[in-house]
Structures are given as C-alpha cells and as structure tokens.
Amino acid sequence: MREHRRPAEKHGFVEVAGVQRQGNRPERTLYGLTAEGRTEMRDWLADMVAVPAREYPAFESALSLIMALHPDEVAELLAERANTLEAHSGPARRPGQAGR
C-alpha cells in the first residue's frame, strides 16, 4: 500500500486521518480521501465505467467500485458506454433477437 499512497499524498488526494493501535500490535496510520481525492476518484471511476477500453480488467475493476457513484450517474455512464460501443460496432443483438 505504501507505494500507492505516496503519489496520492504527493498530489493531495489522501491525508492522515488518525493513528490506531490495538493490543500489542504496532501502530497503524489511517488515511482518508481529501475533497480533491474524492473528485479524482469519482472522475477516474466515471471514465472507467463510461469509456470502453481494450484493457481487460479495467471495466471489471470499475464495476467492483461502482457503489462509490450515485445510481443516476451510473445509469448515465453505462448508457454513454453502450452508445460508444454501438457506434463502433453497430447495433447489438438483444436476447431472443434472430441473427443476421
């Protein structure tokens, strides 16, 4: 996690939210998103949902985090994605629709 946290800290996306200790375990630092971090996360996630990419895990990764977006926004982003895919590949066949 440390290698991912440093760039996020450098850009002001995360900040220390506290320090926690449980029993004999070492202290651990808790981090939280800043307002800029929330905006960056939302923009990144929206892009991954709406814009088709040839990278296999990108869309699946976005779907695993999609609950961070408002449901109305998710519907709009998925519609945008569907429109982009249809524009590049022609109309998609619906289940039960005869092939050509």
Side-chain angles (χ1 to χ4, degrees), residues 18-64:
V19 177
Q20 186 179 60
R21 176 179 224 128
Q22 291 180 336
N24 291 334
R25 300 184 63 90
E27 282 187 349
R28 67 180 187 172
T29 304
L30 305 174
Y31 293 86
L33 290 174
T34 62
E36 294 85 6
R38 279 188 288 284
T39 299
E40 180 68 17
M41 187 266 313
R42 197 217 64 75
D43 291 348
W44 169 80
L45 187 54
D47 244 16
M48 289 189 53
V49 172
V51 180
R54 292 194 180 263
E55 183 185 342
Y56 160 69
F59 183 61
E60 289 76 5
S61 297
L63 290 178
S64 73

